[in-house]
Amino acid sequence: MAKMERNRRTLLQGAAWLGAAYTTAGWRRLAEAAEAPITVGFIYVGARDDYGYNQSHADAAAEVKKMPGIKVVEEENVPETQAVQKSMQGMISQDGATLLFPTSFGYFDPHMLAVAAKNPTVRFAHCGGLWTAGKHPANTGSFFGYIDEAQYLNGVVAAHATKSLKLGFVAAKPIPQVLRNINAFTLGARSVNPKITTTVIFTGDWSMPVKEAEATNSLIDQGIDVITMHVDGPKVIVETTAKRGKLVCGYHASQAKLAPQAYLTGAEWNWITAYKTIIDAAHTGKPHPNFVRGGLKEHFVKTSAYGPAVSEGARKQADGVKARMLAGKFDIFTGEMKDNTGKVVIPKGTTLKQTDVNLESMNWLVDGVIGKA
Amino acid sequence: MPSTVVRLWPHRIEALVLPLLALVTALLLFGLFVTIGDHSASQAWQLLFLGAFGDAFSWQNTLQRAAPLMLTGLCVALPARAGLVVIGGEGALVLGGLAAAVLPQMVPGLGGASGKLALLLAAAVSGGSWIALAGWMRQARGVNETISSLLLSYLAIALFKHLVEGPLRDPASLNKPSTLPLGDALQIGSIGTYDVHWGLAWGLSACLVSAVWLAFTTHGFATRIVGGNARTARLIGLPTQTLVITACAVGGACAGLAGGIEVMAVHTAANAALISGFGYTGILVSFVARHRPLAVIPVAILFGGFGAAGSLLQRRMGLPDASVQVLLGFSFVLILASDGLQGRIAGALNRWLDQREARRPSATPPITPPGTAA
């Protein structure tokens, strides 16, 4: 009995000590978080001013710089090799960064995971949506946006602008993310006029300026009069289209400056929303948000302001769809949906919500797309 | 008065001083460039040193970046010593990487040291045969090897992409098409506790072995004769065809090895990230090293250092990545241009020594071997 008594006392004592230790540790961490400014690192695979993917991140990073208590370090043109591992480690060891944003898709595996394993106290937020609970460590995470919503709106606007009823899409690689954009764009256009087709050309890689120009010219030679894209830097495609007197919808960032007359609208990222969520958590010592996603409604993506060539009817219809998307009452991928070989890919009565994982392994092109996935 | 004594060391000093002078000039020019851009030149110089060689982390950063460049540098240097300008190392590298990634799928159960060696061998053989093909086309069909190796490299990259994104694609690699990942047993780790993988050891050994081969073996000597004058080589009965193709194959094997190591130590699978330009940077490395395998080592380290330093310059000073490219451009144009000064420093040194000796009355008359007077 006495023994048990003692046991209980030591246990209680132990628990009290543990509790006190945890509380003070918690306080200390909180105090530290409130006082010390944190250093945040951003890494881009291309140039910061590429009028595309990398610029969309760099623009948001410029916003982060204005936030109080945050120091930003940046690096551009970092390839997906050992170089990015060294850049991440350098930001940690040389600059004291405690939160990193490796923004290129290919940085995740193996590079970010390797560096994260060596630095368990540093937070890593990868852009691309690959993080899986249980499989990847808690100090890593990923964020992404449902930009296909904005591509759908691109399609609606493009459908009103086309005279030949032929649209063009210059894409990098036939991977799920890209196919989803091509399909959303085509579905948006065909919601206006079901006779419209989208012709796709894959260039084979993310940054191929010469091939992108060739693809654009070839599409226009086929009678296509509105073009959009999914490549890292849409600059060349936008400029080429404008030079040929055709119209263009942008992607990643606004390219309106490059072609003020030919630019209709565009699907843009709004990374600052995701950045703020993740940085705030790091600043206040809350757990690292591992899985951050959103679309138009959550302000993860946005659309460019309409250009002068967009008709009143087009604005009205696109704004109508956008309002329904913002209210969470619009689904892009609803059954029955057939691919361009006639196969049913979404059965009747089924609706794939944006969060549906089936959409992330998309390997088909919807009816109305001319091209092969 | 022309020098009458053959002295080797003035030439050795010159070989060291000339590139150093070029580098210092490049750094000065870079400082000027940075100042024009409204940044502090002294801070830039300080960061360059700190980022490349300042502490243990910087050294590991530099050496890690240098490792693949030693191997791709050899891919240009070795054929060059046999008289060929091969610039298609990138193709050999990606094919080497592909071979290393695919072999375990064809031969299951590979593992341990022997399995790793088998993968590296597969990488070397595929890279070697690709460059040997360019060499053979030159020897047998008279196709210009510079053009053909470059075109073969485009072909290799297209083939690589087709296979990785098509038949060999791991279905689980959705948005980053890759081959099936290598198991842990086939991956190459770091050297001890350092953050540098064993690829560095392979790069260093390849450079050393190549240097020994060229300098001290009959085969290497014969290869250099072919490179010096192919007609003379044929006249004295050397098998020029075989020698040239062998040099190409060995060079290609080095680049293939680089690809295999990239896959086994870094990427764990073959994917488009492998096509990152190491093969093309190797061309610069080799030309700056004047195609000497031993010189490839410090030049590759210099290149790695520029990369590492550029990383820090961007982060600390907010300079664009292009600024390091400017420094790189200054350095290499000046190093290559300093070739034009070859013989000047050595000549001046010799003249000075001659005069000094002439002033000394008790000096024994210099021995002049016949036919060596400058």
Side-chain angles (χ1 to χ4, degrees), chain A residues 137-160:
Chain A
N139 65 324
T140 64
S142 58
F143 59 95
F144 208 59
Y146 301 121
I147 201 162
D148 50 330
E149 294 173 2
Q151 273 292 11
Y152 186 95
L153 296 172
N154 268 353
V156 172
V157 173
H160 281 274

Side-chain angles (χ1 to χ4, degrees), chain A residues 48 72-83 85-87 89-91 93-95 105-107 109-111 118 128 173-178 204-206 208 360-361, chain B residues 50-51 55 57-58 60-61 64-65 161 165 169 174-177 190 195-197 262 265-268 271-273 275-276 278 310-312 314-316 318-322:
Chain A
R48 261 178 295 194
V72 170
V73 287
E74 288 174 286
E75 225 183 299
E76 64 177 347
N77 282 332
V78 182
E80 294 164 356
T81 58
Q82 269 283 336
Q85 296 192 23
K86 293 294 182 195
S87 290
Q89 191 60 52
M91 284 177 168
S93 333
Q94 293 174 324
D95 303 319
F105 194 86
Y107 290 162
D109 188 11
H111 309 297
K118 286 180 203 155
K173 293 182 185 195
I175 58 167
Q177 265 173 26
V178 174
D205 223 323
W206 295 107
M208 298 240 136
E360 316 223 327
S361 50
Chain B
L50 197 71
D55 57 14
F57 172 77
S58 302
Q60 291 171 50
N61 192 350
Q64 184 63 87
R65 288 169 194 261
K161 280 188 178 168
E165 288 170 20
R169 180 172 174 173
L174 289 173
N175 283 316
K176 186 182 177 183
S190 309
D195 206 5
V196 180
H197 61 64
E262 279 298 299
V266 183
H267 300 289
T268 70
N271 55 48
I275 314 163
S276 60
F278 289 139
S311 167
L312 193 66
Q314 281 200 52
R315 282 183 270 134
R316 291 282 169 85
L319 289 175
D321 170 60

Side-chain angles (χ1 to χ4, degrees), chain B residues 284-353:
Chain B
L284 274 176
V285 170
S286 178
F287 270 86
V288 173
R290 300 215 178 90
H291 309 310
R292 281 184 297 235
L294 268 189
V296 162
I297 298 175
V299 174
I301 291 175
L302 188 68
F303 256 97
F306 277 135
S311 167
L312 193 66
L313 270 184
Q314 281 200 52
R315 282 183 270 134
R316 291 282 169 85
M317 294 180 72
L319 289 175
D321 170 60
S323 56
V324 188
Q325 302 294 325
V326 169
L327 174 59
L328 219 64
F330 282 149
S331 311
F332 295 118
V333 167
L334 285 168
I335 288 176
L336 292 175
S338 70
D339 257 359
L341 292 174
Q342 233 175 5
R344 296 274 178 92
I345 293 177
L349 265 174
N350 263 329
R351 269 195 303 280
W352 179 69
L353 287 167

Side-chain angles (χ1 to χ4, degrees), chain A residues 153-282:
Chain A
L153 296 172
N154 268 353
V156 172
V157 173
H160 281 274
T162 178
K163 291 192 183 78
S164 63
L165 303 186
K166 285 165 150 183
L167 310 178
F169 202 117
V170 183
K173 293 182 185 195
I175 58 167
Q177 265 173 26
V178 174
L179 299 179
R180 187 165 167 178
N181 276 334
I182 299 169
N183 290 339
F185 177 73
T186 309
L187 288 166
R190 283 164 72 95
S191 75
V192 178
N193 183 346
K195 283 194 198 123
I196 289 176
T197 58
T198 305
T199 307
V200 180
I201 294 181
F202 292 105
T203 59
D205 223 323
W206 295 107
S207 189
M208 298 240 136
V210 177
K211 277 196 185 168
E212 287 157 17
E214 283 168 2
T216 310
N217 276 319
S218 145
L219 287 170
I220 293 170
D221 291 342
Q222 293 169 46
I224 280 154
D225 56 0
V226 185
I227 287 177
T228 190
M229 72 299 283
H230 187 164
V231 298
D232 266 3
K235 187 170 186 260
V236 172
I237 301 172
V238 171
E239 286 176 338
T240 309
T241 314
K243 214 181 288 161
R244 296 282 306 263
K246 306 296 174 196
L247 301 166
V248 63
C249 293
Y251 190 65
H252 288 316
S254 174
Q255 292 90 33
K257 254 193 247 166
L258 298 171
Q261 296 306 313
Y263 195 77
L264 294 170
T265 181
E268 293 182 41
W269 299 107
N270 191 32
W271 295 124
I272 190 67
T273 314
Y275 284 1
K276 269 193 177 144
T277 313
I278 293 160
I279 290 171
D280 282 348

